[in-house]
Amino acid sequence: MKPGIHPEYRPVVFRDRAANYAFLTRSTMTSDKTIDWEDGNTYPVVDVEISNVSHPFYTGTARVLDTAGRVERFERRYGRRGAN
C-alpha cells in the first residue's frame, strides 16, 4: 500500500440510539463525539439509525407475506384461467 493515502483504521464505537445498544469494532469512520468504553479507553462514537438489534428482519417483527393466500384470493375473485 502507498503510505499516506489511506484513512486511519482504528477502533470505533457504533451506537444504535433506537435500541440503546453500542458495539466496538474497527473502522475508518471518523467522529467528533467520543465515548468512554467498558475497557476504560475513550473511542470515537458514530450514531446509527438502525442495527441488527433494532432492524425488523433480525428482531423477528418483520411482516411475512402470505403469497399462497393472495393467489387463492385472486383466483376466487376473478376465477381461474382455463387451460388452452
Side-chain angles (χ1 to χ4, degrees):
M1 292 191 326
K2 285 186 177 179
I5 65 168
H6 298 285
E8 182 183 356
Y9 188 66
R10 61 182 176 190
V12 176
V13 174
F14 286 91
R15 179 172 51 189
D16 183 350
R17 301 292 275 192
N20 196 21
Y21 176 74
F23 58 93
L24 178 66
T25 187
R26 295 182 56 82
S27 177
T28 58
M29 300 243 350
T30 60
S31 176
D32 296 332
K33 298 183 218 171
T34 60
I35 189 171
D36 294 327
W37 194 244
E38 302 160 352
D39 61 4
N41 294 326
T42 301
Y43 299 106
V45 62
V46 177
D47 290 326
V48 294
E49 294 181 20
I50 197 160
S51 71
N52 65 324
V53 177
S54 63
H55 193 279
F57 178 79
Y58 292 105
T59 60
T61 59
R63 292 184 351 192
V64 177
L65 294 177
D66 179 21
T67 55
R70 294 176 73 184
V71 170
E72 291 167 359
R73 187 171 56 229
F74 178 84
E75 288 176 351
R76 273 196 316 262
R77 204 177 272 171
Y78 300 106
R80 195 174 180 138
R81 206 171 200 197
N84 293 353

